[in-house]
Amino acid sequence: MSEETPKPDATPEVKPAEAKPAAPPPPPPVTYPRSAGVTMAAAPKASLSRFLGDAFGLFKGMNVTMRYFRKPSRIVTREYPENRGTLKMSERFRGQVVMPHDEKNEHTCTACTLCEKACPNGSISILTTKNLASKRVLGAFVYRLSSCTLCNLCIEACPFDAIRMGHGFEMATFTRDPLDLILNKTEGR
Amino acid sequence: MEALKTSAPALPPGFSLRETRADGSQEYFLNMGPQHPSTHGVLKLVVRLDGETVVEVVPHLGFIHRAIEKMGENETFVQYIHLTDRMDYLSSHINNLGVCMAIEKAMGIGVPERGEYIRVLVSELQRIQSHLLWWGAFGMDLGAVSAFLYGFKEREKITQLFEELCGARLTMNFFRPGGSNADVPEGFIGKVKELLEEMKFSLDEFDTLISKNMIIRERCFGVGRLSRERAANYGCSGPVGRASGVDFDVRRDDPYSIYDRFKFEVPLGSNGDCLDRYLVRIAEMRQSVRILEQVVAAFPEGQYRSKEKASYKVPAGSYFSAVETARGMFGTYFVSDNSFKPYRVKSRSPNFSNLSALNEMAQGGKIADLVAILSTLDLIIPDIDR
Ligand code: SF4
Ligand code: SF4
């Protein structure tokens, strides 16, 4: 019965004629299919000692909480926005890609585009230019943080250690524009 | 106009309800998710209910489908590794390992001794970390908020270790064909040793808090049963399959890396109910601690990665690797046409198979049990959709 779609043309005259003569048989109990062939290990029998043991178990669980209450040394609390000054990320932490510059404001990038090729998301574009000796040098290292997955592949690909992963992690912005960055401060030489 | 005459509400194709009973009671549909806290992600369950009794559960997938397998066809083999982080994000190291192993098989790359130890070390830490998060979320789903805090407090220690190891806390991208992308940092093994001592203490604490808690035990006993045969038929693996008595663990039965050198047991359940799934996971954490103890005791010196290739051109053919993630068997299947990018990638995700058993587990139970079942299935939705 339930397989049939509701019939729009079911006429109301048929029903009373069928239902009237005899009382309808009681509907079969609704059964729901269950995972077949499961044999349960019997549940432990209820007994006073079991009940007391279980209740004692609850108190022991509560005691764990109390232990922390009495000895708060194991509690870990980090007050994040307040501890910004002292917060130190681990050395290998992967924040956004940065390009270190030395004291003369120079970087070591040679515009070899290996990082651009290694990036799975096309987050890096190396725009080149020519210097006075008409040598091909880095014009702009365009880095799109918005599509970067911080996967470290560009850093691994760079043969000159010109880029590395920064330690910043507060990267949220209100608009998308600040996420398109130019990493080099000066053109390559 | 015709449709107005019928008593039954118009249902989408493929949906049906039993007829309204004489007393006017009726089955109905309830949408659970995609924004439901206990589905742990964007999973939508259409539940057919009779009062509070579950008649049928139909999972609707695709809310977080990102076509990772298709994306893999446009990325080189090494670039594909980082995408697998985003499948089962709580087993990202182990997913990475699966991909790397398939590439290694294809190209005949060996892994140095220390590299193998790093792999096992990191995989087992990841398994504990994943189970810790599950433990916290399980308590939360059943209404015990403090469990969440305890679980996350312990998990944070492992996450901190991962951050020191590879710089990331969730999307690791650490393993590479032939080893890993970096050696373990200075003093890492010592920290792992400390962690293991704390872990033993914490696991006992977990037992006192929840495993021996009569309320939780009664709540979970006999709920969401899955027989051994059905679990095997559905392809359930990992703790879900093992709780039902499917005696299968890739680490033991098809040992990859150097798992065959370590002594550990594969915990099995017999009832296949929520309590068994809980206990199996707790026992698995203890076994992982046991493996880790053997790893740190024998951690060798040497290279962490065999010689890195400039590019990975995989010879034509098809390659498969299977690893045991925290949720079961994760398979990676590559078809290569002798190029730098895979021709086709397919992942066998454990969560998809585990989810398929949900209907059978939940049928006949109460709607509140559905939450407990979902919690002990420990689903990661991005891994189902991929
Ligand atoms: S970290 Fe990864 S995604 Fe980001 S720019 Fe580098 S290679 Fe591209
Ligand atoms: S950052 Fe490194 S890899 Fe990228 S273009 Fe510059 S030198 Fe080449």
Side-chain angles (χ1 to χ4, degrees):
Chain A
M1 285 216 295
S2 57
E3 297 93 53
E4 287 176 20
T5 47
K7 278 177 277 176
D9 54 340
T11 44
E13 300 92 79
V14 188
K15 261 187 196 162
E18 271 180 357
K20 277 276 146 58
V30 184
T31 53
Y32 304 105
R34 273 179 183 265
S35 193
V38 183
T39 46
M40 284 292 282
K45 266 216 189 105
S47 68
L48 183 65
S49 61
R50 179 173 162 249
F51 174 75
L52 290 178
D54 282 348
F56 186 59
L58 285 183
F59 277 110
K60 268 167 83 179
M62 199 62 180
N63 191 32
V64 173
T65 314
M66 289 308 291
R67 211 162 42 218
Y68 279 87
F69 187 68
R70 289 195 309 268
K71 270 196 207 154
S73 59
R74 270 174 65 83
I75 296 178
V76 188
T77 310
R78 299 254 195 286
E79 288 166 4
Y80 156 58
E82 287 82 25
N83 70 357
R84 266 201 194 119
T86 54
L87 194 64
K88 258 194 73 153
M89 310 312 290
S90 55
E91 200 187 317
R92 293 182 185 177
F93 182 77
R94 305 211 300 254
Q96 71 198 70
V97 175
V98 292
M99 184 175 268
H101 288 64
D102 61 10
E103 61 280 358
K104 279 191 246 152
N105 216 11
E106 277 166 13
H107 53 78
T108 51
C109 176
T110 58
C112 68
T113 72
L114 279 180
C115 55
E116 189 181 356
K117 286 186 192 116
C119 179
N121 313 311
S123 300
I124 297 174
S125 299
I126 307 287
L127 307 180
T128 56
T129 180
K130 291 222 167 89
N131 66 0
L132 288 177
S134 74
K135 196 176 141 233
R136 192 168 151 274
V137 292
L138 179 70
F141 188 108
V142 181
Y143 168 59
R144 295 175 205 92
L145 179 55
S146 47
S147 68
C148 174
T149 52
L150 309 176
C151 68
N152 209 35
L153 287 176
C154 51
I155 282 89
E156 279 169 47
C158 181
F160 303 101
D161 286 337
I163 43 176
R164 61 172 181 80
M165 281 295 189
H167 284 185
F169 59 91
E170 292 163 326
M171 302 179 205
T173 54
F174 283 105
T175 54
R176 244 190 276 172
D177 306 346
L179 296 176
D180 291 343
L181 305 164
I182 292 179
L183 295 188
N184 57 324
K185 291 182 197 153
T186 52
E187 286 187 0
R189 288 190 307 131
Chain B
M1 288 300 108
E2 280 294 299
L4 285 180
K5 279 184 195 159
T6 60
S7 58
L11 290 171
F15 288 82
S16 68
L17 293 170
R18 283 201 182 84
E19 280 193 347
T20 307
R21 288 189 213 91
D23 58 355
S25 63
Q26 190 186 12
E27 288 178 355
Y28 62 103
F29 283 113
L30 185 77
N31 288 311
M32 190 169 162
Q35 307 292 344
H36 191 279
S38 80
T39 56
H40 295 245
V42 279
L43 174 70
K44 178 180 170 187
L45 298 174
V46 178
V47 194
R48 184 147 68 98
L49 289 168
D50 181 7
E52 272 196 52
T53 312
V54 177
V55 183
E56 193 182 9
V57 186
V58 182
H60 284 214
L61 309 178
F63 288 95
I64 193 163
H65 181 67
R66 293 145 300 167
I68 286 183
E69 287 160 5
K70 187 69 191 168
M71 271 153 84
E73 294 170 18
N74 296 311
E75 306 208 329
T76 63
F77 284 93
V78 173
Q79 284 176 350
Y80 178 66
I81 297 172
H82 94 289
L83 284 180
T84 53
D85 289 339
R86 281 133 182 106
M87 291 187 187
D88 181 351
Y89 48 80
L90 291 182
S91 309
S92 43
H93 272 311
I94 314 180
N95 295 353
N96 291 173
L97 179 57
V99 178
C100 292
M101 275 166 39
I103 302 172
E104 281 158 16
K105 245 184 222 173
M107 305 186 59
I109 302 170
V111 184
E113 182 84 356
R114 188 177 170 94
E116 295 278 28
Y117 270 86
I118 293 176
R119 286 185 167 188
V120 174
L121 173 83
V122 171
S123 301
E124 290 311 309
L125 279 176
Q126 178 88 75
R127 194 181 318 279
I128 298 179
Q129 188 229 37
S130 168
H131 283 347
L132 283 174
L133 189 144
W134 159 80
W135 186 83
F138 170 79
M140 191 95 147
D141 284 342
L142 296 188
V145 181
S146 49
F148 191 73
L149 301 175
Y150 284 88
F152 264 67
K153 184 182 73 141
E154 298 307 318
R155 176 178 178 265
E156 179 61 28
K157 292 175 191 161
I158 302 183
T159 318
Q160 205 72 43
L161 283 182
F162 283 159
E163 193 188 306
E164 273 169 44
L165 178 72
C166 64
R169 297 159 62 87
L170 206 63
T171 51
M172 315 296 187
N173 192 21
F174 179 60
F175 292 134
R176 295 284 182 277
S180 48
N181 81 4
D183 201 356
V184 292
E186 198 87 352
F188 188 77
I189 298 299
K191 282 180 191 162
V192 174
K193 277 182 191 157
E194 268 171 40
L195 175 95
L196 292 181
E197 288 311 310
E198 285 169 25
M199 241 356 266
K200 282 187 209 156
F201 178 81
S202 313
L203 282 172
D204 289 342
E205 208 174 69
F206 290 180
D207 273 350
T208 325
L209 265 177
I210 286 209
S211 313
K212 290 180 185 156
N213 185 315
M214 71 185 273
I215 302 172
I216 297 267
R217 287 186 89 94
E218 298 276 319
R219 176 79 181 75
C220 292
F221 184 82
V223 168
R225 283 182 279 158
L226 185 69
S227 69
R228 187 173 169 277
E229 288 71 33
R230 299 301 288 157
N233 289 354
Y234 279 122
C236 294
S237 52
V240 176
R242 289 197 279 274
S244 294
V246 181
D247 194 0
F248 176 72
D249 188 320
V250 186
R251 290 176 293 168
R252 184 198 60 193
D253 299 326
D254 183 12
Y256 55 93
S257 196
I258 48 166
Y259 272 108
D260 44 358
R261 293 192 208 163
F262 303 114
K263 281 200 189 72
F264 63 98
E265 269 142 39
V266 178
L268 276 186
S270 55
N271 290 341
D273 56 359
C274 284
L275 185 60
D276 269 5
R277 284 191 283 278
Y278 173 89
L279 294 174
V280 162
R281 284 206 180 87
I282 293 282
E284 256 181 35
M285 280 198 260
R286 290 190 193 281
Q287 292 302 324
S288 288
V289 170
R290 194 173 150 200
I291 296 177
L292 281 172
E293 276 174 343
Q294 299 170 47
V295 171
V296 292
F299 201 75
E301 291 296 319
Q303 275 190 311
Y304 63 92
R305 183 173 183 180
S306 53
K307 197 163 179 314
E308 194 178 336
K309 284 195 169 56
S311 58
Y312 290 85
K313 188 174 184 180
V314 171
S318 58
Y319 310 97
F320 180 76
S321 75
V323 287
E324 179 82 17
T325 72
R327 281 160 196 80
M329 186 180 116
F330 176 83
T332 308
Y333 182 69
F334 278 130
V335 179
S336 175
D337 55 354
N338 196 20
S339 68
F340 299 104
K341 295 175 181 177
Y343 178 76
R344 174 83 170 91
V345 192
K346 173 85 182 90
S347 299
R348 187 258 182 227
S349 82
N351 289 300
F352 186 80
S353 313
N354 291 353
L355 174 71
S356 59
L358 173 67
N359 183 27
E360 190 156 327
M361 291 162 149
Q363 272 175 353
K366 298 285 182 232
I367 177 87
D369 292 344
L370 182 59
V371 176
I373 295 168
L374 265 180
S375 179
T376 52
L377 273 180
D378 194 15
L379 298 172
I380 297 291
I381 315 302
D383 192 33
I384 298 170
D385 284 345
R386 294 195 289 283

